[in-house]
Amino acid sequence: MSVAGIDAVSAILLIPAAAAAVLALLPDYRTGSRINVGAALLTLAAALSLFWNRPPVGRYLLVDDLNIVFIVLTTFVGFTTSVFSASYIAHELKTGRLTPTYLRFYHAMYQVLMFAMNLALVANNIGLMWVAIELATLTTVLMVGIYRTHEALEAAWKYFILGSVGIALALFGTILVYMAARPTVGEGLDAMVWTHLVARAAGFDPALLNLAFVFLLLGYGTKVGLAPLHAWLPDAHAEGPTPISAVLSGLLLNVALYALLRFKMLLAANPAALSPGPLMVILGLVSLVFASFMLYRRRDIKRMFAYSSIEHMGVITFAFGMGGPLANFAGLLHMTMHSLTKSAIFFAVGHIAQIKGTQKIADIGGLTETHPVLGWGLVLGVIAIAGLPPLGIFMSEFLVVSSTFAREPLLAIPLVFGLLVGFGALLLRLGGLAFGEPRGATGVAEASYGPMFAHLALVLCAGVYLPGPVVAWFQNVARLLG
Amino acid sequence: MPLTIALLCVPALLGTSLLALVVRRSPQGYRAVYGISLAVSLLGLFAALSQLLAGAEPSHTVLPLGLPWLGAHLRIDALAAWFLLIANLGGAAASLFALGYGAHEPAPQRVLPFYPAFLAGMTLVVLADDAFTFLLSWECMSLASWALVMAHHRERDNRHAGYVYLVMASFGTLTLLLAFGLLAGAQGGYAFETIRAAPPAPLFASLVLILALLGAGSKAGLVPLHVWLPLAHPAAPSHVSALMSGVMTKVAIYGFVRIVFDLAGAPAWWWSMLVLALAGVTTVMGVLYALMQSDLKRLLAYSTVENVGIVYLGLGLALAFKAQGMAWAAALAMTAALLHGLNHCVFKSLLFFGAGAVLHAAGERDMERLGGLIHRMPQTAFAFLVGCVAISALPPLNGFVSEWLTFQAVLLSPELQSWGLKLLVPGAGALLALSAALAAACFVRAFGVTFLGRARSPAAERAHETDRFSRAAMFACAAICLVVGILPGLFIDALAPAVAQLVGDRMPVQTVAGWQTIVPIVEGRSSYNGLLVFVFMTAAASLTAYAIHRVASDRVRRGPAWDCGFPDPSPATQYSATSFAQPIRRVFGTVVFRARERVEMPPPGSPAPARLSVSLQDLVWDGLYAPVAAGVGRAADRLNHLQFLTIRRYLSLVFVALVALLLVLAIWP
Amino acid sequence: MDKFSFDVAHMLAGSLVLVSFVQLYQDRIYALLNVFALHAFVLALSVAWQAYVHDAPHLYVTALIALGFKAVVIPVVLHRIVQRLGIHREIETVVGIGPTMLAGMGLVALSMVVMLRATPEADPLAREDLAFALSVVLLGLLLMVTRRNAVSQVVGFMSLENGLMLAAAGAKGMPLVVEISVAFSILIAFIVIGIFLFRIRERFDTVDVRALDRFRGERG
Amino acid sequence: MALIFDLAVQGVQMLLVLALAPLLTGFVRKVKARLTRRRGPSLIQPYRDLVRLLRKEVVLAENASWLFRVVPYVVFAATWVAAALVPTFAAGLIFSWSADLIAIIALLGSARFALALAGLDVGTSFGGIGSSREVMIASLAEPAMLMIVFTLALIAGSTQLSTIATFMATGDVGLRVSLGLALIALIMVAIAENARIPVDNPATHLELTMVHEAMVLEYSGRHLALIELSASLKLLLYLSLIGCVFAPFALAGPEAGLSAYALGAALYVLKLAAGGFLLAVFETSIAKMRVFRVPEFLGAALMLGLLGTLLLFVSRGL
């Protein structure tokens, strides 16, 4: 059993790595996109098999209740996005925005990204985790700049510089954790193994841990997109290919958040260290309120949804910062739902932007009339992301807001305020996009609706009914997070 | 059993929604959808009645849906049954109406799928017995109705209405969410049973009241949270307007009653002051706004605001009495409020149906372009007239009964101990009286300008009577208005268990008093008999008519109108909606709306026309919402600069954040 | 660890901070590059000393990278770029040198305060080293945010990274240090190439990062 | 047997008000004429007018709808029922509990509602003027009236007019400021409601001042007769109301004998005469006011009523 388990973990790393190598060599983009989908599907299958075969904890790799949530989510969205990407990329090729060479590069990079994210998730070593996240960052930098336009390059550049600083800060934090752990755990690799760290964190030097957390919070927080470290995020989302926007919002932000959570657990295990909650709560609230206001003046549809990702990352960070079984549960649920919903929105937006030939909100209108399926899909997605029932985000927002208000009424006020302001902005734009006189081109959509509606169906289902095992599992994780 | 039936209605309605997705474009599809909706609503009505009339014990069930560790708690008790009755009565009437009216819908695919979902949402709110299910269905109700408001999305006003509506709905939901958060506590006891078992501490309870007032009040349309209502209700197709005004506001009131009377524990003495003050302002402001409108559906929507105020007045009184331990008086006030809820549902549905019929027949909602429709659509006119009389609180119809009960409750208020209330309640009573009189004025104007006189536009001249389903729905509503008006005792008794559940006492049994008289407290104190008044009036009128026709004269000659000898053939010389309201505008509007009249008189000899222009200001919008919107806009503009910084400045942000956090660490004890 | 080796390590780390201050003081781009070379050289020395003291031979690799790549190759390449771009005249500082130095002082004080709160029984060398490393990191960041010129910003980033290396080298027994230093070198190479590419291929008029912002989709 | 007797008394009351109403109108006119040194028409002139009108054919405007023809009967029925419920010579009549004072006010409201609609039906400008002014006046007069009702109800502990009258007759009341305020307010409301000077002039067809007459301008024949009769009934109703509340002398009780009834009836006629006389004196001594000063007049009444109520609320607590 353990052999099979190790196999499963290796599989979720090896399959993308191998696929990346193959794709880099394969000239035909059609086969490439098929292989991409196939590899993603295989990875998903391997990830699912982790449920039955959980490998023992190693010094490098770890699968526990916490990261299995993330792994399954990542591989699932990775798979659906690859399906979406297949139809999306074909259109890009047709309009000449990408050449087959770039497509080869794109597919290879896609799998490298998958590899990096999976690695970050299963890493039991904080150094390895750092390396994986940085790899993921660099990969996405390349993908964001793939269109080679001024805007794309500029976005990639901004992402690159800010990301590099974030990388550096996170590394400093990692070193500090090592320094804190060394006296207790001993020199060498052991002092970077997370399971060892968390088991003995009580004996660490609290001052070093605090300092480490500050750096990690800012370093990984840059990746999460928390304000005021968010600046790369909107442009990277707006200028890159839409599948990458979907993966960025749906997955990479989560992966960075996952890293933060790991360190939060570390700090929580040391009673003398400062409690990480308030810092996360403050950053979360700042991000939420800031992003909500930023939504109002957006003219680019993808950039708008990128800001909405910042907003939701703020909510999730806030929830985890609050802690406690309800808020943690809500945070996990919110993260899952946000991943699914936001990627679904980007699927819709990608096709819309292709049909209309523009990402300018002002040039898009009346979608429910001209493209009912896409239009209503977008409406449903925005409604979901705005936190309206019966979709899943409502449940998590319900839990976050109500539990916060019962515990810290004063914190709930800015939370509710931010949510409301963001809601108003999203709805305002939705009114123009989906309703009113049709604007812009009305060509036929060559879209694959499957991924979008699969995500929305899951979100809808989760809003009304969560299966018992999922709940038990989330609750368990919530307890782990403390 | 009633719970099972009522619960079955929900999947049935949702299934109808799915069916509607299939048949949305077929020409007869609407009949299937509305037919099934009608049947299901009748079923729900049956469930509600069987719960109410049998006086059955509350029944409760938990479905494995919703919040996972909690499940969806559902419960029917007398209160829920009463509102279930209202919801399904309104739903049935609207479905019946739509069986005919639906044929005229230009975009059925945007109405049919959402209509049953809207009904389902409202049913589920009433049945919900835990915070999550409650808010879920509450928001689904908002969402479905929003989609219906957006049905005619090409009109800019409708989009704006939909936007304002959904934002306000979301505001309401969030405040309710906060309220439930307080009620449930940090442990997350979201089931209503748990909350009932452990009511919140007094301070929290007060906060809950305020939040519930904001949340449910914004949905119900309390001034100053009403702004979305007159935008959204008219924008929807008329049968949906009827549901929104007639039923959804009641569901909102249900939410308030449930939270404040059932869950929040014992009321504090000052709660009622807040409710009464808001309610008093709402009644008068609502009707004054209504008087200033010339759009028929918007007028009706504002009148909904007024009626919601009346209901809240009753609720406020009930709260005051309950806080003082006067359960018998609280029972009277609560009965008045709940009965008015039913009444308003019926007559407002009727009026919106009428407005829909007019809108279809003349293609016009603006009263200034209507007129004389009584000749073209006599049956609609008659039904609409019944609705107007009912809503103006005139005997012997139902509106009078509930307002009369409210007045009786006001008259009990000297027994209250608190000085604040002693001063406030008479004031609220005066406002109620004022609003009743103004409502009569308002509906004289609505009916008179729309249906009487001469047609003000060619479209109004070509209008025709509406279809038979629509008429059936209107006459059914009119009949209910009359039945409740002349046999109110039956309904008061049916209400008694719900009232007893909320305030711990009930009104005396009504049906034992002779001749269907209703007696709020004791017979010597006050009583009213709608049946006798109705019989007397009918008898007196018909006997007189008979006698005069037999004895004196029954000859009639048609001739031109007299009009003091100067009849003008142009219909423009008639009194218009605006001119009709002019005296009242002068009396009240100068203060309430800053109404200003400007006369431009050309100099002698000039052929230019003289002009009179009237300007009105919506002080609530200008004073509350516009600044908020402007503030959000300004903040967004300010923050938006952050989108246009150089990389260096972004790095500076990171740097500042880092230094700030390090400083925090440095000064951390 | 004997007193002498401790003092040397301390002295080297302190010099790195000092050189960082010297960097802050520069307002000529060539001078800045030269000082950066010195910075990298001091780092190399420091890392090598750590390798010697801790008997960790793999750290010599890091030291060599620092010496070869950062103290020689990068400054030379950047010299070339600056020449090509014709921006050798001056560094456009955002704030004057004086306030920048003051801020730098504050940052060093801050890093001392936060670092010295750590319990003294932790390895004193590591603790002092970390304090200096933190100062270098913060000063590097300060350099980045006070210069408009992209080349100076890269220099700032690299000195920030030098601080990281100092910390990593000082962390006794830390695995992956070499790999990390290699990874960072590649990163820096990317950045430098990026500047180069933008100049050549995309015809940005200037590498002042303000120019890049003209192309954001949102304005206008 | 008792039931039949009670029914008979109730019937007498209904017929009595019907019979006396035109007489009262005639009386007021006569007194007014005398006060202005005219001889005036005879006391029974209103009866003659009614009979003549009833016999004449109705001239309907071409545009008039069915509503226009129904309204006179509705107005008449509502007013008559209301008038029949006010104790005139006896309190506690058999049907008195079927409607309390609030319901009586509302019945009058129904009548006015119908009449205002009729004013709009033909689509003439005068009808519109009348209706619109009428509802404006009513929108203030009705709340004022309700405030008066509140005052009375709070004093007597009932809104039942019979009970109030009986209570007032006991003399337990004493002198109360609230009652005084209520009386003044009631008189003001009564003047406005009955379209008397200074609010309206029932005898004018001068366009700028018309309110009530403008509304009924298009009526003729039997319809006009009914409306005139209703107006008379309304005047009678208000005088009876004032009489039974503020001068409840010799009001027969529920189980009284014939003699008590007779005494009550005789005194009732006297009360009416006194009221009518005072009205006429008041009307001749004052000038008609502008329409837009009417709201101030009625607003004052409303304030007086509210003040009366408030005083009661406050004094109860003392």
Side-chain angles (χ1 to χ4, degrees), chain B residues 86-87 89-94 97 238-247 250 300 304 342-356 384 387 391 473-474 477-478 481:
Chain B
I86 294 179
L89 189 62
F97 178 75
S238 295
H239 57 295
V240 179
S241 311
L243 276 183
M244 290 176 79
S245 261
V247 181
K250 304 307 161 308
L300 293 178
T304 299
L342 173 73
N343 290 342
H344 179 247
C345 167
V346 176
F347 50 64
K348 190 48 66 69
S349 298
L350 164 57
L351 291 172
F352 265 114
F353 296 160
F384 197 88
I391 202 170
M474 287 189 275
C477 286
C481 283

Side-chain angles (χ1 to χ4, degrees), chain C residues 117-200:
Chain C
R117 293 168 71 98
T119 45
E121 63 261 29
D123 185 350
L125 170 60
R127 203 170 59 140
E128 305 283 301
D129 254 5
L130 271 181
F132 286 129
L134 181 55
S135 311
V136 175
V137 167
L138 291 179
L139 290 176
L141 206 50
L142 184 63
L143 191 64
M144 283 186 91
V145 303
T146 51
R147 303 291 147 107
R148 289 221 170 93
N149 187 298
V151 172
S152 333
Q153 289 185 356
V154 172
V155 171
F157 182 70
M158 285 187 298
S159 55
L160 187 160
E161 192 246 324
N162 285 350
L164 288 181
M165 284 303 126
L166 182 67
K172 196 174 158 207
M174 177 161 163
L176 296 169
V177 173
V178 182
E179 292 84 341
I180 287 168
S181 62
V182 173
F184 261 111
S185 304
I186 297 173
L187 194 67
I188 288 165
F190 263 122
I191 295 179
V192 173
I193 294 168
I195 294 176
F196 200 67
L197 283 183
F198 281 147
R199 172 76 186 109
I200 304 302

Side-chain angles (χ1 to χ4, degrees), chain B residues 404 408 411 525-526, chain D residues 100-102 149 153 157-161 164:
Chain B
W404 184 79
Q408 296 299 338
L411 287 174
R525 189 168 176 120
S526 51
Chain D
D100 66 353
L101 192 45
I102 299 177
V149 175
S158 165
T159 53
Q160 216 57 353
L161 201 42
I164 297 175

